[in-house]
Amino acid sequence: MTQIAGWAGHPAQDAGEAAAYLGARASGHSATGSGWACRGPHVATGDGLSVVVRGEPVWRTGEAAIRSAANPAAAIHAAFQRHGKGLLQSLYGSFAFAAIDQKSGAT
């Protein structure tokens, strides 16, 4: 089973060791920044926001930018940029995601 993994803040060990730990726990794509990292099957990053997703979310919206996104992380990224945490009102299904907003420092 493919997992998502990551950290925000400063890892207890060396950054290289922490990256190896992530790689051993989750396969797929990764994104890193100052004081955070994430890894999983779907990753989207840009405009100060990074999203990692496992599973297939289902949307209750007709917004083209969300429905036509390249992968689930890109769809959640687009929805978060438009609706913030309100995106959860349009989302259901079997999935897990984490979002790291580098502008606000929120996870």
Side-chain angles (χ1 to χ4, degrees), residues 26-69:
S27 61
H29 307 280
S30 61
T32 60
S34 179
W36 65 271
C38 61
R39 185 172 179 88
H42 303 287
V43 175
T45 189
D47 296 324
L49 177 68
S50 293
V51 177
V52 59
V53 179
R54 175 187 170 267
E56 297 293 329
V58 179
W59 292 94
R60 293 181 181 129
T61 182
E63 291 181 64
I66 296 169
R67 304 225 15 121
S68 66

Side-chain angles (χ1 to χ4, degrees), residues 3-101:
Q3 305 292 324
I4 61 174
W7 78 80
H10 299 287
Q13 66 262 33
D14 171 77
E17 291 175 18
Y21 179 86
L22 282 183
R25 292 191 172 45
S27 61
H29 307 280
S30 61
T32 60
S34 179
W36 65 271
C38 61
R39 185 172 179 88
H42 303 287
V43 175
T45 189
D47 296 324
L49 177 68
S50 293
V51 177
V52 59
V53 179
R54 175 187 170 267
E56 297 293 329
V58 179
W59 292 94
R60 293 181 181 129
T61 182
E63 291 181 64
I66 296 169
R67 304 225 15 121
S68 66
N71 63 57
I76 290 176
H77 187 280
F80 192 93
Q81 295 226 308
R82 286 169 176 69
H83 305 290
K85 294 176 186 175
L87 74 94
L88 298 172
Q89 301 300 315
S90 299
L91 194 57
Y92 69 100
S94 179
F95 67 94
F97 83 93
I100 300 168
D101 184 347

